[in-house]
Amino acid sequence: MTPVSRRRVLQATAGLGALGALGATRTSAFAAPDEQGRTAAVIGTGFGGSVAALRLGQAGFRTTVFERGRRWDIRKDGNTFPSIRNLDGRASWFAGQVSLGGPAGVPVAKYPGLLDQVKGNGIDSVYGAGVGGGSLVFGAFTSTPRKQDFEHVFPGGTDYDGLLREYYPRVLKMLNASKLPADILAHPNYVGARSWAKTVRRYGAQLRTFEYAVDWDIVRAELAGRATPSFSIGEMGFGANSGAKNSTDHNYLPAAERTGNVTIKPMHEVFEIRPRGNRPGFIVKARQIDNQNRTVRVVTADVDYLFLGAGSFHTTRLLVEARAKGHLPKLSGKIGDGFGANGDFLTARTGLTDDYGPVQGGPGYGRFYDDDFSGGPVSMVYHSTPLPAPGGKLLTTNLIQVFSPERGTIDYNRSTGSAVLNYPFAEHSSILDRRGNAFANHFARRAGGVPIVSRLAGFGSASTYHGLGGVVINKAADLNGSVHGYDNLYVVDGSFMPGEVGLVNPSLTIAAIAERTMDRFVATH
């Protein structure tokens, strides 16, 4: 077997998924207050922020949505997003390199690109930047957790049955999510998905299929040569140049704008939140930035209600900094607690028994559970890789998900005047990594293949694409998403999750709980 270096594997799988110098500034106001208390601001446009924007607009709230990233409209020439074969500044948020989950990176020009890697102490956490937030860069997996797994991590009263009955289906419909169609599964590019089903049967488990936020007609156009190849060749971690990914800029956000009540402000980075002095509500300050991260102007919104959807780290960071600086001193001391990596552990397998194809069409296929594995239940899903694999048996990847009690914190650093992510669990020795690695080897012994890297780019105790927590349900915020300490302040994103969502990818659960939060808000306001 030819050795495969860690750096090569990290590079191949990367697609899987301080204020700047002030220029001339002026202050402007958005969503000016009225006497009926009908104005709102939303920070962030990922799954939670997009839900909040739409439901506020439909309810008649004049709403300003702040998004620090740019719009990523699909271009006819198929060159909206970067790809693993064509990395440039569009891949990275003002970093000067595309970080691939390890010490090595690909140098690029600084630009307001898609992936923002927050470098913490012990773990890095990656977020999407742009109108659509994390939905631009997620793998399109929209999996509903099992009831026993959900209730293992969420507090009592979260009402899984209500989510399953009303809110999971609502989000799946909005995202136009559906299962991998039979005709696409039969295509040569999807031999990997078919082989995965065989591999799972050999392991002795039952494969469970689930929905993906993908327009399969566009994938068919890719396969027929009428659209830029993206999903059909396993490249979707930087967006989808064909437009096949049903990210929230294709559904929730356009619907919000069509209400006539919602204004989305791209390239507006919020840096300060204060309460109003005379009545409930908030003053939100943001800097409008250009492509060099220079401040064009500072803008101010005076609103009755504020909804935080900037992603687990950035939502929590805004609150931690506001508390430490005395802007929001009544915030709970639990703000910043409970950061987890969703139990994700990405492994690569080589020496494969089955042919996974020289091209692995994405986004992946099928999940199985092992409830008898030592230490607790585990799930595993096939995750296609964009690495060309001559002969079809060189490499494939799998996402393993385990329960892990390990939680970090987001804390204020007085020397820098900003928040920092702390995660005191060493790579490879953490519970997450030890359980993930043990299951990877256990699976390989029973089903074939050799796990050659114990933790790959973006998933594990050292880095995560699914960072969750910081404003945790029933701790820093109540079951309805209201943040303790301040009326009219709500959280709607992954910071509300208790560090994990129950052995599946978190996007669907984040959006479903945000839908419920907004239903309850609208019903009482």
Side-chain angles (χ1 to χ4, degrees):
M1 182 177 66
T2 302
V4 181
S5 72
R6 177 178 174 83
R7 176 171 181 172
R8 181 179 174 190
V9 173
L10 292 172
Q11 290 173 336
T13 58
L16 297 179
L19 293 181
L22 290 176
T25 64
R26 64 185 177 89
T27 300
S28 62
F30 301 111
D34 62 18
E35 295 180 357
Q36 286 73 42
R38 301 283 292 176
T39 62
V42 179
I43 303 175
T45 56
F47 288 100
S50 295
V51 168
L54 174 58
R55 303 313 173 194
L56 287 166
Q58 290 175 331
F61 287 80
R62 287 186 286 136
T63 303
T64 299
V65 181
F66 291 107
E67 168 55 55
R68 64 186 176 138
R70 50 161 289 190
R71 286 188 183 267
W72 296 89
D73 297 324
I74 299 299
R75 293 169 39 159
K76 292 183 179 180
D77 65 0
N79 193 30
T80 299
F81 301 110
S83 71
I84 193 65
R85 296 167 177 81
N86 183 28
L87 290 174
D88 56 34
R90 293 172 298 174
S92 181
W93 178 259
F94 293 119
Q97 67 173 17
V98 181
S99 186
L100 305 177
V106 178
V108 296
K110 289 187 177 182
Y111 187 76
L114 282 163
L115 291 175
D116 170 29
Q117 185 175 37
V118 174
K119 291 189 174 295
N121 296 319
I123 194 170
D124 295 346
S125 192
V126 181
Y127 298 89
V131 176
S135 75
L136 294 170
V137 297
F138 88 129
F141 290 58
T142 47
S143 304
T144 302
R146 301 183 303 179
K147 183 174 184 177
Q148 65 265 38
D149 301 328
F150 180 93
E151 292 183 342
H152 179 78
V153 295
F154 279 86
T158 311
D159 188 19
Y160 174 87
D161 292 336
L163 291 169
L164 188 66
R165 180 176 58 253
E166 173 67 24
Y167 296 106
Y168 283 125
R170 181 190 295 183
V171 176
L172 289 170
K173 183 177 180 180
M174 280 296 302
L175 296 178
N176 193 28
S178 59
K179 295 183 178 182
L180 180 64
D183 63 310
I184 294 179
L185 181 59
H187 191 276
N189 282 26
Y190 286 80
V191 64
R194 301 194 300 273
S195 289
W196 171 241
K198 296 177 185 176
T199 306
V200 171
R201 286 197 297 271
R202 188 163 59 249
Y203 178 80
Q206 177 185 358
L207 190 72
R208 301 181 180 216
T209 58
F210 55 90
E211 292 83 3
Y212 304 89
V214 174
D215 186 331
W216 296 112
D217 284 338
I218 296 180
V219 177
R220 291 184 179 98
E222 290 184 27
L223 293 169
R226 302 191 305 272
T228 303
S230 181
F231 272 89
S232 61
I233 60 172
E235 281 196 1
M236 59 275 177
F238 293 118
N241 276 309
S242 66
K245 185 183 294 186
N246 291 329
S247 46
T248 61
D249 57 325
H250 291 187
N251 36 74
Y252 275 101
L253 294 173
E257 291 177 305
R258 287 194 296 270
T259 67
N261 295 317
V262 176
T263 301
I264 298 173
K265 295 290 184 180
M267 303 291 282
H268 280 69
E269 185 174 50
V270 172
F271 64 89
E272 184 177 294
I273 302 168
R274 293 177 180 265
R276 279 177 178 160
N278 54 346
R279 64 188 188 280
F282 298 91
I283 305 298
V284 180
K285 291 185 178 181
R287 64 185 190 108
Q288 182 181 356
I289 61 175
D290 63 15
N291 286 346
Q292 285 73 47
N293 204 17
R294 297 174 300 200
T295 299
V296 176
R297 60 175 180 167
V298 172
V299 301
T300 301
D302 182 345
V303 297
D304 301 299
Y305 301 96
L306 178 58
F307 295 82
L308 301 175
S312 58
F313 176 79
H314 291 292
T315 282
T316 309
R317 173 184 61 79
L318 285 169
L319 295 179
V320 165
E321 292 175 3
R323 182 182 59 195
K325 295 175 181 179
H327 299 163
L328 296 174
K330 294 187 292 184
L331 285 173
S332 165
K334 294 182 179 178
I335 296 285
D337 294 348
F339 182 93
N342 197 45
D344 295 345
F345 185 91
L346 187 66
T347 187
R349 292 186 300 123
T350 191
L352 303 172
T353 303
D354 301 299
D355 182 4
Y356 278 74
V359 176
Q360 295 182 23
Y365 189 59
R367 180 183 309 277
F368 77 89
Y369 293 88
D370 189 331
D371 292 322
D372 299 321
F373 187 65
S374 176
V378 177
S379 76
M380 187 174 186
V381 66
Y382 165 60
H383 204 303
S384 61
T385 173
L387 176 68
K393 295 186 178 183
L394 175 62
L395 184 75
T396 191
T397 56
N398 293 99
L399 178 60
I400 297 169
Q401 290 170 312
V402 304
F403 289 125
S404 170
E406 296 162 330
R407 298 290 182 269
T409 56
I410 298 168
D411 307 297
Y412 186 68
N413 185 329
R414 296 195 177 277
S415 65
T416 62
S418 59
V420 64
L421 173 59
N422 293 307
Y423 192 79
F425 305 100
E427 184 180 7
H428 304 306
S429 64
S430 73
I431 293 173
L432 192 163
D433 284 347
R434 285 189 283 111
R435 292 209 70 226
N437 192 54
F439 189 77
N441 283 281
H442 169 76
F443 179 82
R445 287 192 295 270
R446 284 178 53 172
V450 179
I452 58 170
V453 176
S454 62
R455 196 274 310 164
L456 290 182
F459 299 88
S461 69
S463 62
T464 179
Y465 276 54
H466 295 157
L468 302 171
V471 194
V472 174
I473 180 173
N474 218 29
K475 292 184 178 180
D478 69 19
L479 292 170
N480 297 325
S482 178
V483 177
H484 294 324
Y486 288 88
D487 294 333
N488 300 6
L489 179 61
Y490 294 83
V491 60
V492 291
D493 61 9
S495 64
F496 194 48
M497 306 299 109
E500 52 190 332
V501 299
L503 305 184
V504 296
N505 298 46
S507 56
L508 181 61
T509 296
I510 291 170
I513 291 181
E515 285 277 17
R516 186 179 64 190
T517 294
M518 298 312 300
D519 266 9
R520 293 176 176 179
F521 171 82
V522 170
T524 55
H525 293 81

